[in-house]
Amino acid sequence: MPRTSAARIVIIGAGQAAAQAVASLRAEGFDGALTVVGDEPFAPYQRPPLSKTYLAGTFERERLFLKPDAFYAEAKCELVLGTPARAIDRAKKTIALADGRSLAYDKLLIATGSRVRRIQVPGADLPGIHYLRAIADVDSLRPAFQSAKHLAVVGGGYIGLEVAAVARKYGLAVTVFEAMDRVMARAVSRPVSAFYEAVHRAAGVEFQMNTGVEAFEGSGKLEAVRAGGKLYPADVALVGIGVVPVCELAIAAGLECQDGIRVDPFCATSDPDIFAAGDCTRHHGRDGQLIRLESVQNAIDQAKHAALAMLGRPVPYREVPWFWSDQYDLKLQIAGLAGPSDKIVLRGDPKARKFAVFHLREGRVAAVEAVKAAPEYIVGRKLIAEGAIVAADRLADLTVPMKNII
Ligand SMILES: Cc1cc2nc3c(=O)[nH]c(=O)nc-3n(C[C@H](O)[C@H](O)[C@H](O)COP(=O)(O)OP(=O)(O)OC[C@H]3O[C@@H](n4cnc5c(N)ncnc54)[C@H](O)[C@@H]3O)c2cc1C
């Protein structure tokens, strides 16, 4: 695309990927008109603190925002907030907004993120049942924590467990209901699941494993959760059972979608003038498998690659995925993507609350999960990027410093 002031780029969605795309487009020399359309009433903000320090009340709201207001003014980026985009007209290259306006684009970036999966059981609409995705969700959950006595967490994934840890700090009794036989089963190995379950139990959290919630009960407000045929008292519930990509606009516009907007390594959709980045996308990962990532890393890196591609300088997206979770005083850092038949190598002792699990595939490091183990995480990430072959016994040997393993 020629760099002329006539060129117009519109970004739908004002989240993590959008903020990065604005920064990258301007840093890469785009000097045309730039507009970000967001349905929330806020400029782009970071979500990770929502289930951690912001919920705990130790992280100020202003710090959630990814960029100061002055950044958008200096970048000459128009923010259209509190205004959902309703439709994309690919023939006319326009976006219809909920307020009746129409925006023209030369290139479009869809960065609509994901939304929470809602639980479909009787009583699911009772007051007292919460989800956690946005600032508004925390603003209603935090007061509930101040008055409630018993929290039911539905789903033992990252969000549910992070909220459980914060709730214990508020002094709430907490019961986690998990349909699988271990926590965070989608994302971590068995040793890491077992470690986190033990940590939460030691902090007073109760678990009902292999137990799906059947109903929420109460007259006018939540009073109990029915699960496994039994009733458990609860006056507040947090449902964390995953997210679904927001791709209705893309589907309606006829873009190729399959549990996410399909993008190529340059973040282009099936329309060469439309790109997508972040939680709403599905792409081929480093191993060639189709994946959908829900992480800050993916949103930032895809936004960078989408910006380059929109400016006619495409570079393929090959970054190693990474993720983190904070529960109590424990930082879990994960790099790479584990596979079901990886050889698992434990380095360190979970009882010391500081260890790492490496995943070896055909001798190469495919993923690392590190608990309070920054060197293992940092070196592990490098080993994954390099496709390094490493002997399992050296990885497991704490007398071999991580820096010597490379
Ligand atoms: C509570 C919580 C904790 C998390 N913790 C971590 C963590 O520890 N580490 C980590 O790596 N990741 C974490 N994540 C995930 C991470 O925040 C997301 O992967 C990231 O925000 C994705 O960025 P995005 O730009 O794709 O989407 P988002 O940041 O969700 O932004 C998308 C925006 O688009 C808006 N939108 C949707 N449709 C429209 C429309 N039609 N018109 C206008 N606007 C629209 C949405 O409302 C939203 O504001 C967490 C997420 C949550 C919710």
Side-chain angles (χ1 to χ4, degrees):
M1 186 169 54
R3 287 188 198 163
T4 70
S5 56
R8 284 162 302 192
I9 293 180
V10 174
I11 301 173
I12 305 179
Q16 186 86 49
Q20 182 60 51
V22 171
S24 294
L25 283 166
R26 289 308 190 207
E28 294 294 336
F30 174 64
D31 62 2
L34 187 51
T35 305
V36 174
V37 179
D39 58 2
E40 291 184 70
F42 303 110
Y45 62 90
Q46 45 172 336
R47 297 182 195 275
L50 298 184
S51 50
K52 308 175 179 77
T53 44
Y54 184 62
L55 179 61
T58 57
F59 193 90
E60 288 145 28
R61 191 183 186 112
E62 299 73 59
R63 291 176 60 202
L64 291 175
F65 295 97
L66 289 162
K67 307 277 182 198
D69 290 346
F71 164 82
Y72 300 99
E74 278 162 29
K76 294 195 171 51
C77 173
E78 185 194 8
L79 292 180
V80 180
L81 300 174
T83 311
R86 288 276 188 248
I88 301 165
D89 185 328
R90 287 169 55 196
K92 290 190 186 138
K93 294 181 96 171
T94 55
I95 314 293
L97 303 187
D99 64 7
R101 271 188 290 167
S102 170
L103 292 179
Y105 68 85
D106 295 306
K107 302 278 181 205
L108 171 65
L109 177 66
I110 305 178
T112 44
S114 50
R115 66 168 66 90
V116 294
R117 177 173 286 124
R118 301 192 82 83
I119 191 165
Q120 309 287 339
V121 296
D125 292 332
L126 277 174
I129 299 168
H130 297 257
Y131 293 83
L132 188 35
R133 180 77 203 165
I135 287 178
D137 298 327
V138 184
D139 289 351
S140 70
L141 185 58
R142 221 171 10 193
F145 270 17
Q146 274 145 5
S147 56
K149 293 204 163 34
H150 203 141
L151 168 72
V153 173
V154 183
Y158 288 118
I159 305 274
L161 293 186
E162 288 180 355
V163 171
V166 174
R168 289 300 296 143
K169 286 192 190 150
Y170 276 88
L172 273 75
V174 180
T175 307
V176 175
F177 298 87
E178 169 53 55
M180 312 265 289
D181 64 349
R182 63 190 183 97
V183 297
M184 299 189 285
R186 252 187 349 124
V188 302
S189 60
R190 282 193 178 271
V192 174
S193 289
F195 171 76
Y196 273 92
E197 186 181 330
V199 165
H200 278 276
R201 283 190 191 275
V205 175
E206 291 185 7
F207 285 86
Q208 296 300 328
M209 303 303 290
N210 300 299
T211 308
V213 165
E214 290 142 14
F216 295 103
E217 303 199 355
S219 49
K221 62 178 178 51
L222 179 67
E223 287 164 7
V225 169
R226 182 175 292 281
K230 291 189 195 153
L231 267 189
Y232 297 86
D235 48 2
V236 59
L238 183 279
V239 181
I241 55 170
V243 294
V244 287
V246 176
C247 36
E248 291 82 359
L249 284 178
I251 293 170
L255 298 175
E256 195 183 331
C257 295
Q258 181 194 11
D259 184 31
I261 304 168
R262 282 290 306 273
V263 291
D264 70 10
F266 312 104
C267 297
T269 68
S270 51
D271 179 325
D273 290 323
I274 305 182
F275 296 76
D279 282 16
C280 63
T281 67
R282 180 173 283 270
H283 70 280
H284 285 284
R286 289 162 55 87
D287 290 347
Q289 78 282 34
L290 263 181
I291 52 173
R292 186 163 62 74
L293 297 175
E294 299 151 12
S295 69
V296 166
Q297 170 275 323
N298 182 59
I300 289 176
D301 285 332
Q302 282 195 323
K304 289 180 182 171
H305 287 269
L308 284 171
M310 285 193 282
L311 299 178
R313 303 200 297 275
V315 175
Y317 170 41
R318 298 258 316 138
E319 278 83 341
V320 174
W322 53 262
F323 190 83
W324 79 95
S325 173
D326 296 322
Q327 296 168 41
Y328 308 103
D329 62 331
L330 298 166
K331 180 167 286 295
L332 168 66
Q333 292 170 291
I334 299 178
L337 295 176
S341 45
D342 293 347
K343 179 181 167 72
I344 298 248
V345 180
L346 182 64
R347 179 180 169 92
D349 182 0
K351 286 199 193 78
R353 293 168 71 92
K354 182 174 158 54
F355 67 102
V357 173
F358 288 88
H359 294 247
L360 297 186
R361 203 171 304 152
E362 291 163 11
R364 294 178 201 283
V365 182
V368 58
E369 302 157 71
V371 176
K372 268 191 150 175
E376 278 72 7
Y377 168 71
I378 291 163
V379 174
R381 224 170 107 175
K382 277 195 195 131
L383 295 171
I384 298 165
E386 290 165 6
I389 293 184
V390 184
D393 55 349
R394 269 173 72 76
L395 270 181
D397 185 351
L398 281 178
T399 66
V400 180
M402 277 312 292
K403 62 179 173 16
N404 293 355
I405 282 180
I406 292 191

